[in-house]
Amino acid sequence: MSMLPPDDLLAPDAIRDPQSFFRRLREHDPVFFSPRHKVYILTAHADVEAALQDRCLSTAQGMGSFRRRINTAHADLLKHAMALLDGWMLFNDPPTHTRLRDPVRRAFAPSVAQTLIPRIEAHAAFLLDRLAPSTDLVSQFAQPLTAMVICDLLGVDLDEREFLRGWARDFGRLIYGASSRDDDYLAAVARAGDAFYARFKRTLAQRRAAPGDDLLSRLIGASEAEHWSEAELIGACSMLLFAGHDTTSALIGSGVRAMLRHPDALARLRAQPELLGSAVEELLRFDGPSKTFIRVTTQPRALGGHTIAAGQHLWLGILAANHDPAVFDAPETLRIDRDPNPHIAFGAGIHFCLGSALARAEARVALQTLLTRFPKIRLVDTQPAWSPTIVDRSLLALPVQLD
């Protein structure tokens, strides 16, 4: 038997270049049991897509065991942070998942995203007008843009975006996990949970008294019809604000970086702006914002020659699947006109990302406005730092020179 490849997804090389990490695993065994993490890591497109569609794989069980561990040791400290997760459809299975998903699904139809494009363009122009010649595109453009858009959609005051940026950073340590978990990690998560819960309890009371034409008001009405608890409603708000801000800003950051590192593709996009839509799809495939999705088997499964017991954790390698040479010709090449492009950056099955149409619209506007406004934009740091987590693929900063 050949020597096992490195299997630590939190190692510096794996954080910097997860595609190479996953490629080595796939070449060794596309259903790879990691001795280090005690999980099966799936890296083939067919296996990952099938797992995403498999109703016998659970998201709730993995979160349930995590919540039990947290509540055993830190129940009082993290009371509000854990309560927010009650409204996260991502961490629930049917029928709870269905009850939480349906009201939100109607609010994120592609037609809704289309109506928001003028507002996205206005926010992008506002932010670009204020960029310094040397700037960090993550903190000065991608993050504030996506925060402004999701605040618009929910009907939350734009002044909240600075609060949301810090909250998403701290709460993200609970959602994504981090390379180190210490007292500071727990305190940051606790503060984020307490602050959000208190803030949105007041916001919901105000909106009930004076409803408007916004998603938050509609969610309040839908939550009453679907018998949501107050914790589920506040939690759903936290999920929408987190996902709408964090993952889309990650896509914009990594997408801009990828285009700047591939000048031929960038020149072609400038010459053929009609390729913008397919370019965004390729950027989602090439270096999208999700590294892995986590599932737990509810019954024994046979997969890739392995018999996997019930209760076993699986890491579904989204980035790996999107670089599988069995599906994508020359997967390491950025092709902005790639067609077909069956990437699974937004997942599949019942947990397919509801915000996909909005994320695509924001990415298209961000790329188009940025590249049009600054034709001489270039990278300052060719090896920027990435978030050191198992689940997400996001830049901590993207320093650029604009002129």
Side-chain angles (χ1 to χ4, degrees), residues 119 123 126 144 147-152 155-166 199-200 241:
R119 292 290 295 162
H123 290 319
F126 172 86
M148 293 163 88
V149 172
I150 197 64
C151 284
D152 265 358
V156 175
D157 195 311
L158 289 181
D159 291 341
E160 296 280 8
R161 66 183 184 271
E162 286 304 317
F163 163 75
L164 291 173
R165 183 187 302 186
R199 210 172 187 110
F200 272 78
L241 287 162

mmCIF file with all atom_site columns, all heavy atoms in Angstrom, residues 119 123 126 144 147-152 155-166 199-200 241:
data_model
loop_
_atom_site.group_PDB
_atom_site.id
_atom_site.type_symbol
_atom_site.label_atom_id
_atom_site.label_alt_id
_atom_site.label_comp_id
_atom_site.label_asym_id
_atom_site.label_entity_id
_atom_site.label_seq_id
_atom_site.pdbx_PDB_ins_code
_atom_site.Cartn_x
_atom_site.Cartn_y
_atom_site.Cartn_z
_atom_site.occupancy
_atom_site.B_iso_or_equiv
_atom_site.pdbx_formal_charge
_atom_site.auth_seq_id
_atom_site.auth_comp_id
_atom_site.auth_asym_id
_atom_site.auth_atom_id
_atom_site.pdbx_PDB_model_num
ATOM 1   N N   . ARG A 1 119 ? -29.571 48.822 -6.579 1.00 0.00 ? 119 ARG A N   1
ATOM 2   C CA  . ARG A 1 119 ? -29.061 49.157 -5.253 1.00 0.00 ? 119 ARG A CA  1
ATOM 3   C C   . ARG A 1 119 ? -27.639 48.615 -5.065 1.00 0.00 ? 119 ARG A C   1
ATOM 4   O O   . ARG A 1 119 ? -26.779 49.285 -4.477 1.00 0.00 ? 119 ARG A O   1
ATOM 5   C CB  . ARG A 1 119 ? -29.975 48.575 -4.170 1.00 0.00 ? 119 ARG A CB  1
ATOM 6   C CG  . ARG A 1 119 ? -31.338 49.224 -4.100 1.00 0.00 ? 119 ARG A CG  1
ATOM 7   C CD  . ARG A 1 119 ? -31.239 50.639 -3.567 1.00 0.00 ? 119 ARG A CD  1
ATOM 8   N NE  . ARG A 1 119 ? -30.780 50.697 -2.197 1.00 0.00 ? 119 ARG A NE  1
ATOM 9   C CZ  . ARG A 1 119 ? -30.282 51.797 -1.626 1.00 0.00 ? 119 ARG A CZ  1
ATOM 10  N NH1 . ARG A 1 119 ? -30.159 52.911 -2.322 1.00 0.00 ? 119 ARG A NH1 1
ATOM 11  N NH2 . ARG A 1 119 ? -29.897 51.776 -0.359 1.00 0.00 ? 119 ARG A NH2 1
ATOM 12  N N   . HIS A 1 123 ? -24.415 50.948 -4.197 1.00 0.00 ? 123 HIS A N   1
ATOM 13  C CA  . HIS A 1 123 ? -23.516 50.699 -3.059 1.00 0.00 ? 123 HIS A CA  1
ATOM 14  C C   . HIS A 1 123 ? -22.071 50.503 -3.541 1.00 0.00 ? 123 HIS A C   1
ATOM 15  O O   . HIS A 1 123 ? -21.130 51.007 -2.914 1.00 0.00 ? 123 HIS A O   1
ATOM 16  C CB  . HIS A 1 123 ? -23.970 49.453 -2.297 1.00 0.00 ? 123 HIS A CB  1
ATOM 17  C CG  . HIS A 1 123 ? -25.252 49.625 -1.552 1.00 0.00 ? 123 HIS A CG  1
ATOM 18  N ND1 . HIS A 1 123 ? -25.569 50.773 -0.854 1.00 0.00 ? 123 HIS A ND1 1
ATOM 19  C CD2 . HIS A 1 123 ? -26.298 48.783 -1.365 1.00 0.00 ? 123 HIS A CD2 1
ATOM 20  C CE1 . HIS A 1 123 ? -26.758 50.630 -0.277 1.00 0.00 ? 123 HIS A CE1 1
ATOM 21  N NE2 . HIS A 1 123 ? -27.224 49.430 -0.580 1.00 0.00 ? 123 HIS A NE2 1
ATOM 22  N N   . PHE A 1 126 ? -20.573 53.838 -4.458 1.00 0.00 ? 126 PHE A N   1
ATOM 23  C CA  . PHE A 1 126 ? -20.309 54.599 -3.228 1.00 0.00 ? 126 PHE A CA  1
ATOM 24  C C   . PHE A 1 126 ? -18.983 54.161 -2.596 1.00 0.00 ? 126 PHE A C   1
ATOM 25  O O   . PHE A 1 126 ? -18.149 54.989 -2.215 1.00 0.00 ? 126 PHE A O   1
ATOM 26  C CB  . PHE A 1 126 ? -21.467 54.387 -2.250 1.00 0.00 ? 126 PHE A CB  1
ATOM 27  C CG  . PHE A 1 126 ? -21.241 54.962 -0.878 1.00 0.00 ? 126 PHE A CG  1
ATOM 28  C CD1 . PHE A 1 126 ? -21.537 56.290 -0.602 1.00 0.00 ? 126 PHE A CD1 1
ATOM 29  C CD2 . PHE A 1 126 ? -20.736 54.167 0.150  1.00 0.00 ? 126 PHE A CD2 1
ATOM 30  C CE1 . PHE A 1 126 ? -21.335 56.821 0.674  1.00 0.00 ? 126 PHE A CE1 1
ATOM 31  C CE2 . PHE A 1 126 ? -20.523 54.682 1.419  1.00 0.00 ? 126 PHE A CE2 1
ATOM 32  C CZ  . PHE A 1 126 ? -20.822 56.020 1.681  1.00 0.00 ? 126 PHE A CZ  1
ATOM 33  N N   . PRO A 1 144 ? -17.964 45.438 3.197  1.00 0.00 ? 144 PRO A N   1
ATOM 34  C CA  . PRO A 1 144 ? -19.025 46.442 3.342  1.00 0.00 ? 144 PRO A CA  1
ATOM 35  C C   . PRO A 1 144 ? -20.093 46.353 2.255  1.00 0.00 ? 144 PRO A C   1
ATOM 36  O O   . PRO A 1 144 ? -21.272 46.607 2.517  1.00 0.00 ? 144 PRO A O   1
ATOM 37  C CB  . PRO A 1 144 ? -18.278 47.777 3.300  1.00 0.00 ? 144 PRO A CB  1
ATOM 38  C CG  . PRO A 1 144 ? -16.924 47.483 2.766  1.00 0.00 ? 144 PRO A CG  1
ATOM 39  C CD  . PRO A 1 144 ? -16.630 46.067 3.103  1.00 0.00 ? 144 PRO A CD  1
ATOM 40  N N   . ALA A 1 147 ? -22.472 43.520 3.190  1.00 0.00 ? 147 ALA A N   1
ATOM 41  C CA  . ALA A 1 147 ? -23.226 43.906 4.386  1.00 0.00 ? 147 ALA A CA  1
ATOM 42  C C   . ALA A 1 147 ? -24.325 44.893 4.032  1.00 0.00 ? 147 ALA A C   1
ATOM 43  O O   . ALA A 1 147 ? -25.460 44.799 4.525  1.00 0.00 ? 147 ALA A O   1
ATOM 44  C CB  . ALA A 1 147 ? -22.286 44.493 5.437  1.00 0.00 ? 147 ALA A CB  1
ATOM 45  N N   . MET A 1 148 ? -24.020 45.859 3.168  1.00 0.00 ? 148 MET A N   1
ATOM 46  C CA  . MET A 1 148 ? -25.022 46.853 2.769  1.00 0.00 ? 148 MET A CA  1
ATOM 47  C C   . MET A 1 148 ? -26.175 46.206 2.010  1.00 0.00 ? 148 MET A C   1
ATOM 48  O O   . MET A 1 148 ? -27.348 46.555 2.213  1.00 0.00 ? 148 MET A O   1
ATOM 49  C CB  . MET A 1 148 ? -24.357 47.942 1.919  1.00 0.00 ? 148 MET A CB  1
ATOM 50  C CG  . MET A 1 148 ? -23.371 48.795 2.698  1.00 0.00 ? 148 MET A CG  1
ATOM 51  S SD  . MET A 1 148 ? -22.229 49.731 1.633  1.00 0.00 ? 148 MET A SD  1
ATOM 52  C CE  . MET A 1 148 ? -23.192 51.217 1.347  1.00 0.00 ? 148 MET A CE  1
ATOM 53  N N   . VAL A 1 149 ? -25.861 45.239 1.158  1.00 0.00 ? 149 VAL A N   1
ATOM 54  C CA  . VAL A 1 149 ? -26.904 44.590 0.361  1.00 0.00 ? 149 VAL A CA  1
ATOM 55  C C   . VAL A 1 149 ? -27.838 43.774 1.248  1.00 0.00 ? 149 VAL A C   1
ATOM 56  O O   . VAL A 1 149 ? -29.068 43.851 1.114  1.00 0.00 ? 149 VAL A O   1
ATOM 57  C CB  . VAL A 1 149 ? -26.281 43.709 -0.735 1.00 0.00 ? 149 VAL A CB  1
ATOM 58  C CG1 . VAL A 1 149 ? -27.361 42.880 -1.446 1.00 0.00 ? 149 VAL A CG1 1
ATOM 59  C CG2 . VAL A 1 149 ? -25.533 44.571 -1.745 1.00 0.00 ? 149 VAL A CG2 1
ATOM 60  N N   . ILE A 1 150 ? -27.286 42.990 2.161  1.00 0.00 ? 150 ILE A N   1
ATOM 61  C CA  . ILE A 1 150 ? -28.158 42.165 3.002  1.00 0.00 ? 150 ILE A CA  1
ATOM 62  C C   . ILE A 1 150 ? -28.929 43.029 3.986  1.00 0.00 ? 150 ILE A C   1
ATOM 63  O O   . ILE A 1 150 ? -30.076 42.722 4.329  1.00 0.00 ? 150 ILE A O   1
ATOM 64  C CB  . ILE A 1 150 ? -27.349 41.052 3.720  1.00 0.00 ? 150 ILE A CB  1
ATOM 65  C CG1 . ILE A 1 150 ? -28.292 39.958 4.234  1.00 0.00 ? 150 ILE A CG1 1
ATOM 66  C CG2 . ILE A 1 150 ? -26.498 41.599 4.839  1.00 0.00 ? 150 ILE A CG2 1
ATOM 67  C CD1 . ILE A 1 150 ? -29.038 39.202 3.161  1.00 0.00 ? 150 ILE A CD1 1
ATOM 68  N N   . CYS A 1 151 ? -28.360 44.141 4.426  1.00 0.00 ? 151 CYS A N   1
ATOM 69  C CA  . CYS A 1 151 ? -29.113 45.076 5.256  1.00 0.00 ? 151 CYS A CA  1
ATOM 70  C C   . CYS A 1 151 ? -30.282 45.665 4.472  1.00 0.00 ? 151 CYS A C   1
ATOM 71  O O   . CYS A 1 151 ? -31.396 45.793 4.993  1.00 0.00 ? 151 CYS A O   1
ATOM 72  C CB  . CYS A 1 151 ? -28.204 46.197 5.759  1.00 0.00 ? 151 CYS A CB  1
ATOM 73  S SG  . CYS A 1 151 ? -27.108 45.728 7.113  1.00 0.00 ? 151 CYS A SG  1
ATOM 74  N N   . ASP A 1 152 ? -30.047 46.020 3.217  1.00 0.00 ? 152 ASP A N   1
ATOM 75  C CA  . ASP A 1 152 ? -31.121 46.508 2.350  1.00 0.00 ? 152 ASP A CA  1
ATOM 76  C C   . ASP A 1 152 ? -32.258 45.498 2.264  1.00 0.00 ? 152 ASP A C   1
ATOM 77  O O   . ASP A 1 152 ? -33.438 45.839 2.384  1.00 0.00 ? 152 ASP A O   1
ATOM 78  C CB  . ASP A 1 152 ? -30.592 46.757 0.939  1.00 0.00 ? 152 ASP A CB  1
ATOM 79  C CG  . ASP A 1 152 ? -30.174 48.202 0.713  1.00 0.00 ? 152 ASP A CG  1
ATOM 80  O OD1 . ASP A 1 152 ? -30.335 49.021 1.640  1.00 0.00 ? 152 ASP A OD1 1
ATOM 81  O OD2 . ASP A 1 152 ? -29.686 48.509 -0.379 1.00 0.00 ? 152 ASP A OD2 1
ATOM 82  N N   . GLY A 1 155 ? -34.099 45.103 5.482  1.00 0.00 ? 155 GLY A N   1
ATOM 83  C CA  . GLY A 1 155 ? -34.681 46.326 6.012  1.00 0.00 ? 155 GLY A CA  1
ATOM 84  C C   . GLY A 1 155 ? -34.015 46.776 7.288  1.00 0.00 ? 155 GLY A C   1
ATOM 85  O O   . GLY A 1 155 ? -34.639 47.414 8.140  1.00 0.00 ? 155 GLY A O   1
ATOM 86  N N   . VAL A 1 156 ? -32.739 46.431 7.433  1.00 0.00 ? 156 VAL A N   1
ATOM 87  C CA  . VAL A 1 156 ? -31.957 46.819 8.608  1.00 0.00 ? 156 VAL A CA  1
ATOM 88  C C   . VAL A 1 156 ? -31.168 48.078 8.273  1.00 0.00 ? 156 VAL A C   1
ATOM 89  O O   . VAL A 1 156 ? -30.654 48.217 7.155  1.00 0.00 ? 156 VAL A O   1
ATOM 90  C CB  . VAL A 1 156 ? -31.006 45.668 9.013  1.00 0.00 ? 156 VAL A CB  1
ATOM 91  C CG1 . VAL A 1 156 ? -30.098 46.088 10.159 1.00 0.00 ? 156 VAL A CG1 1
ATOM 92  C CG2 . VAL A 1 156 ? -31.810 44.437 9.409  1.00 0.00 ? 156 VAL A CG2 1
ATOM 93  N N   . ASP A 1 157 ? -31.069 49.001 9.221  1.00 0.00 ? 157 ASP A N   1
ATOM 94  C CA  . ASP A 1 157 ? -30.362 50.264 9.001  1.00 0.00 ? 157 ASP A CA  1
ATOM 95  C C   . ASP A 1 157 ? -28.930 50.003 8.554  1.00 0.00 ? 157 ASP A C   1
ATOM 96  O O   . ASP A 1 157 ? -28.219 49.171 9.128  1.00 0.00 ? 157 ASP A O   1
ATOM 97  C CB  . ASP A 1 157 ? -30.361 51.071 10.305 1.00 0.00 ? 157 ASP A CB  1
ATOM 98  C CG  . ASP A 1 157 ? -29.986 52.530 10.071 1.00 0.00 ? 157 ASP A CG  1
ATOM 99  O OD1 . ASP A 1 157 ? -28.970 52.774 9.398  1.00 0.00 ? 157 ASP A OD1 1
ATOM 100 O OD2 . ASP A 1 157 ? -30.701 53.412 10.581 1.00 0.00 ? 157 ASP A OD2 1
ATOM 101 N N   . LEU A 1 158 ? -28.484 50.716 7.519  1.00 0.00 ? 158 LEU A N   1
ATOM 102 C CA  . LEU A 1 158 ? -27.121 50.542 7.015  1.00 0.00 ? 158 LEU A CA  1
ATOM 103 C C   . LEU A 1 158 ? -26.066 50.876 8.058  1.00 0.00 ? 158 LEU A C   1
ATOM 104 O O   . LEU A 1 158 ? -24.920 50.425 7.947  1.00 0.00 ? 158 LEU A O   1
ATOM 105 C CB  . LEU A 1 158 ? -26.900 51.407 5.766  1.00 0.00 ? 158 LEU A CB  1
ATOM 106 C CG  . LEU A 1 158 ? -27.621 50.963 4.490  1.00 0.00 ? 158 LEU A CG  1
ATOM 107 C CD1 . LEU A 1 158 ? -27.280 51.889 3.346  1.00 0.00 ? 158 LEU A CD1 1
ATOM 108 C CD2 . LEU A 1 158 ? -27.271 49.532 4.137  1.00 0.00 ? 158 LEU A CD2 1
ATOM 109 N N   . ASP A 1 159 ? -26.428 51.655 9.073  1.00 0.00 ? 159 ASP A N   1
ATOM 110 C CA  . ASP A 1 159 ? -25.477 51.954 10.138 1.00 0.00 ? 159 ASP A CA  1
ATOM 111 C C   . ASP A 1 159 ? -25.075 50.699 10.902 1.00 0.00 ? 159 ASP A C   1
ATOM 112 O O   . ASP A 1 159 ? -24.082 50.708 11.632 1.00 0.00 ? 159 ASP A O   1
ATOM 113 C CB  . ASP A 1 159 ? -26.070 52.982 11.107 1.00 0.00 ? 159 ASP A CB  1
ATOM 114 C CG  . ASP A 1 159 ? -26.204 54.363 10.466 1.00 0.00 ? 159 ASP A CG  1
ATOM 115 O OD1 . ASP A 1 159 ? -25.527 54.596 9.447  1.00 0.00 ? 159 ASP A OD1 1
ATOM 116 O OD2 . ASP A 1 159 ? -26.982 55.185 10.981 1.00 0.00 ? 159 ASP A OD2 1
ATOM 117 N N   . GLU A 1 160 ? -25.844 49.627 10.745 1.00 0.00 ? 160 GLU A N   1
ATOM 118 C CA  . GLU A 1 160 ? -25.537 48.374 11.437 1.00 0.00 ? 160 GLU A CA  1
ATOM 119 C C   . GLU A 1 160 ? -24.375 47.625 10.792 1.00 0.00 ? 160 GLU A C   1
ATOM 120 O O   . GLU A 1 160 ? -23.900 46.640 11.345 1.00 0.00 ? 160 GLU A O   1
ATOM 121 C CB  . GLU A 1 160 ? -26.767 47.461 11.439 1.00 0.00 ? 160 GLU A CB  1
ATOM 122 C CG  . GLU A 1 160 ? -27.954 47.998 12.211 1.00 0.00 ? 160 GLU A CG  1
ATOM 123 C CD  . GLU A 1 160 ? -27.820 47.781 13.703 1.00 0.00 ? 160 GLU A CD  1
ATOM 124 O OE1 . GLU A 1 160 ? -26.740 47.350 14.146 1.00 0.00 ? 160 GLU A OE1 1
ATOM 125 O OE2 . GLU A 1 160 ? -28.788 48.045 14.423 1.00 0.00 ? 160 GLU A OE2 1
ATOM 126 N N   . ARG A 1 161 ? -23.916 48.068 9.623  1.00 0.00 ? 161 ARG A N   1
ATOM 127 C CA  . ARG A 1 161 ? -22.947 47.237 8.910  1.00 0.00 ? 161 ARG A CA  1
ATOM 128 C C   . ARG A 1 161 ? -21.620 47.103 9.644  1.00 0.00 ? 161 ARG A C   1
ATOM 129 O O   . ARG A 1 161 ? -20.966 46.061 9.541  1.00 0.00 ? 161 ARG A O   1
ATOM 130 C CB  . ARG A 1 161 ? -22.739 47.746 7.486  1.00 0.00 ? 161 ARG A CB  1
ATOM 131 C CG  . ARG A 1 161 ? -22.092 49.088 7.324  1.00 0.00 ? 161 ARG A CG  1
ATOM 132 C CD  . ARG A 1 161 ? -22.032 49.464 5.834  1.00 0.00 ? 161 ARG A CD  1
ATOM 133 N NE  . ARG A 1 161 ? -21.329 50.702 5.590  1.00 0.00 ? 161 ARG A NE  1
ATOM 134 C CZ  . ARG A 1 161 ? -21.915 51.893 5.583  1.00 0.00 ? 161 ARG A CZ  1
ATOM 135 N NH1 . ARG A 1 161 ? -23.207 51.994 5.843  1.00 0.00 ? 161 ARG A NH1 1
ATOM 136 N NH2 . ARG A 1 161 ? -21.213 52.986 5.341  1.00 0.00 ? 161 ARG A NH2 1
ATOM 137 N N   . GLU A 1 162 ? -21.204 48.119 10.407 1.00 0.00 ? 162 GLU A N   1
ATOM 138 C CA  . GLU A 1 162 ? -19.959 47.979 11.158 1.00 0.00 ? 162 GLU A CA  1
ATOM 139 C C   . GLU A 1 162 ? -20.127 46.964 12.282 1.00 0.00 ? 162 GLU A C   1
ATOM 140 O O   . GLU A 1 162 ? -19.224 46.167 12.558 1.00 0.00 ? 162 GLU A O   1
ATOM 141 C CB  . GLU A 1 162 ? -19.515 49.332 11.708 1.00 0.00 ? 162 GLU A CB  1
ATOM 142 C CG  . GLU A 1 162 ? -18.937 50.260 10.652 1.00 0.00 ? 162 GLU A CG  1
ATOM 143 C CD  . GLU A 1 162 ? -17.776 49.633 9.901  1.00 0.00 ? 162 GLU A CD  1
ATOM 144 O OE1 . GLU A 1 162 ? -16.916 48.990 10.543 1.00 0.00 ? 162 GLU A OE1 1
ATOM 145 O OE2 . GLU A 1 162 ? -17.731 49.757 8.672  1.00 0.00 ? 162 GLU A OE2 1
ATOM 146 N N   . PHE A 1 163 ? -21.290 47.013 12.941 1.00 0.00 ? 163 PHE A N   1
ATOM 147 C CA  . PHE A 1 163 ? -21.572 45.992 13.958 1.00 0.00 ? 163 PHE A CA  1
ATOM 148 C C   . PHE A 1 163 ? -21.554 44.607 13.330 1.00 0.00 ? 163 PHE A C   1
ATOM 149 O O   . PHE A 1 163 ? -20.975 43.663 13.876 1.00 0.00 ? 163 PHE A O   1
ATOM 150 C CB  . PHE A 1 163 ? -22.932 46.255 14.613 1.00 0.00 ? 163 PHE A CB  1
ATOM 151 C CG  . PHE A 1 163 ? -23.475 45.061 15.345 1.00 0.00 ? 163 PHE A CG  1
ATOM 152 C CD1 . PHE A 1 163 ? -22.962 44.680 16.575 1.00 0.00 ? 163 PHE A CD1 1
ATOM 153 C CD2 . PHE A 1 163 ? -24.500 44.302 14.783 1.00 0.00 ? 163 PHE A CD2 1
ATOM 154 C CE1 . PHE A 1 163 ? -23.456 43.556 17.229 1.00 0.00 ? 163 PHE A CE1 1
ATOM 155 C CE2 . PHE A 1 163 ? -24.998 43.188 15.441 1.00 0.00 ? 163 PHE A CE2 1
ATOM 156 C CZ  . PHE A 1 163 ? -24.479 42.812 16.676 1.00 0.00 ? 163 PHE A CZ  1
ATOM 157 N N   . LEU A 1 164 ? -22.193 44.474 12.157 1.00 0.00 ? 164 LEU A N   1
ATOM 158 C CA  . LEU A 1 164 ? -22.294 43.163 11.518 1.00 0.00 ? 164 LEU A CA  1
ATOM 159 C C   . LEU A 1 164 ? -20.940 42.620 11.101 1.00 0.00 ? 164 LEU A C   1
ATOM 160 O O   . LEU A 1 164 ? -20.700 41.417 11.163 1.00 0.00 ? 164 LEU A O   1
ATOM 161 C CB  . LEU A 1 164 ? -23.224 43.251 10.305 1.00 0.00 ? 164 LEU A CB  1
ATOM 162 C CG  . LEU A 1 164 ? -24.702 43.481 10.619 1.00 0.00 ? 164 LEU A CG  1
ATOM 163 C CD1 . LEU A 1 164 ? -25.479 43.721 9.345  1.00 0.00 ? 164 LEU A CD1 1
ATOM 164 C CD2 . LEU A 1 164 ? -25.276 42.301 11.384 1.00 0.00 ? 164 LEU A CD2 1
ATOM 165 N N   . ARG A 1 165 ? -20.050 43.499 10.686 1.00 0.00 ? 165 ARG A N   1
ATOM 166 C CA  . ARG A 1 165 ? -18.719 43.034 10.276 1.00 0.00 ? 165 ARG A CA  1
ATOM 167 C C   . ARG A 1 165 ? -17.992 42.382 11.452 1.00 0.00 ? 165 ARG A C   1
ATOM 168 O O   . ARG A 1 165 ? -17.456 41.279 11.337 1.00 0.00 ? 165 ARG A O   1
ATOM 169 C CB  . ARG A 1 165 ? -17.895 44.192 9.714  1.00 0.00 ? 165 ARG A CB  1
ATOM 170 C CG  . ARG A 1 165 ? -16.529 43.756 9.214  1.00 0.00 ? 165 ARG A CG  1
ATOM 171 C CD  . ARG A 1 165 ? -15.655 44.929 8.814  1.00 0.00 ? 165 ARG A CD  1
ATOM 172 N NE  . ARG A 1 165 ? -16.252 45.763 7.781  1.00 0.00 ? 165 ARG A NE  1
ATOM 173 C CZ  . ARG A 1 165 ? -15.620 46.771 7.202  1.00 0.00 ? 165 ARG A CZ  1
ATOM 174 N NH1 . ARG A 1 165 ? -14.388 47.093 7.571  1.00 0.00 ? 165 ARG A NH1 1
ATOM 175 N NH2 . ARG A 1 165 ? -16.205 47.484 6.268  1.00 0.00 ? 165 ARG A NH2 1
ATOM 176 N N   . GLY A 1 166 ? -17.973 43.064 12.589 1.00 0.00 ? 166 GLY A N   1
ATOM 177 C CA  . GLY A 1 166 ? -17.313 42.497 13.763 1.00 0.00 ? 166 GLY A CA  1
ATOM 178 C C   . GLY A 1 166 ? -18.036 41.273 14.280 1.00 0.00 ? 166 GLY A C   1
ATOM 179 O O   . GLY A 1 166 ? -17.406 40.287 14.689 1.00 0.00 ? 166 GLY A O   1
ATOM 180 N N   . ARG A 1 199 ? -29.759 42.805 20.403 1.00 0.00 ? 199 ARG A N   1
ATOM 181 C CA  . ARG A 1 199 ? -30.008 43.815 19.372 1.00 0.00 ? 199 ARG A CA  1
ATOM 182 C C   . ARG A 1 199 ? -31.238 43.460 18.541 1.00 0.00 ? 199 ARG A C   1
ATOM 183 O O   . ARG A 1 199 ? -32.101 44.295 18.281 1.00 0.00 ? 199 ARG A O   1
ATOM 184 C CB  . ARG A 1 199 ? -28.776 43.905 18.474 1.00 0.00 ? 199 ARG A CB  1
ATOM 185 C CG  . ARG A 1 199 ? -28.517 45.262 17.853 1.00 0.00 ? 199 ARG A CG  1
ATOM 186 C CD  . ARG A 1 199 ? -27.171 45.224 17.165 1.00 0.00 ? 199 ARG A CD  1
ATOM 187 N NE  . ARG A 1 199 ? -26.770 46.516 16.690 1.00 0.00 ? 199 ARG A NE  1
ATOM 188 C CZ  . ARG A 1 199 ? -25.769 47.233 17.213 1.00 0.00 ? 199 ARG A CZ  1
ATOM 189 N NH1 . ARG A 1 199 ? -25.110 46.758 18.255 1.00 0.00 ? 199 ARG A NH1 1
ATOM 190 N NH2 . ARG A 1 199 ? -25.454 48.409 16.706 1.00 0.00 ? 199 ARG A NH2 1
ATOM 191 N N   . PHE A 1 200 ? -31.331 42.203 18.131 1.00 0.00 ? 200 PHE A N   1
ATOM 192 C CA  . PHE A 1 200 ? -32.429 41.837 17.250 1.00 0.00 ? 200 PHE A CA  1
ATOM 193 C C   . PHE A 1 200 ? -33.721 41.541 17.998 1.00 0.00 ? 200 PHE A C   1
ATOM 194 O O   . PHE A 1 200 ? -34.808 41.593 17.403 1.00 0.00 ? 200 PHE A O   1
ATOM 195 C CB  . PHE A 1 200 ? -32.008 40.694 16.322 1.00 0.00 ? 200 PHE A CB  1
ATOM 196 C CG  . PHE A 1 200 ? -31.376 41.217 15.071 1.00 0.00 ? 200 PHE A CG  1
ATOM 197 C CD1 . PHE A 1 200 ? -30.069 41.669 15.071 1.00 0.00 ? 200 PHE A CD1 1
ATOM 198 C CD2 . PHE A 1 200 ? -32.110 41.334 13.910 1.00 0.00 ? 200 PHE A CD2 1
ATOM 199 C CE1 . PHE A 1 200 ? -29.501 42.202 13.938 1.00 0.00 ? 200 PHE A CE1 1
ATOM 200 C CE2 . PHE A 1 200 ? -31.553 41.864 12.762 1.00 0.00 ? 200 PHE A CE2 1
ATOM 201 C CZ  . PHE A 1 200 ? -30.246 42.306 12.773 1.00 0.00 ? 200 PHE A CZ  1
ATOM 202 N N   . LEU A 1 241 ? -28.013 37.207 7.768  1.00 0.00 ? 241 LEU A N   1
ATOM 203 C CA  . LEU A 1 241 ? -27.007 38.275 7.809  1.00 0.00 ? 241 LEU A CA  1
ATOM 204 C C   . LEU A 1 241 ? -25.602 37.708 7.697  1.00 0.00 ? 241 LEU A C   1
ATOM 205 O O   . LEU A 1 241 ? -24.739 38.276 7.025  1.00 0.00 ? 241 LEU A O   1
ATOM 206 C CB  . LEU A 1 241 ? -27.171 39.099 9.082  1.00 0.00 ? 241 LEU A CB  1
ATOM 207 C CG  . LEU A 1 241 ? -28.393 40.025 9.062  1.00 0.00 ? 241 LEU A CG  1
ATOM 208 C CD1 . LEU A 1 241 ? -28.757 40.472 10.468 1.00 0.00 ? 241 LEU A CD1 1
ATOM 209 C CD2 . LEU A 1 241 ? -28.126 41.236 8.176  1.00 0.00 ? 241 LEU A CD2 1
#
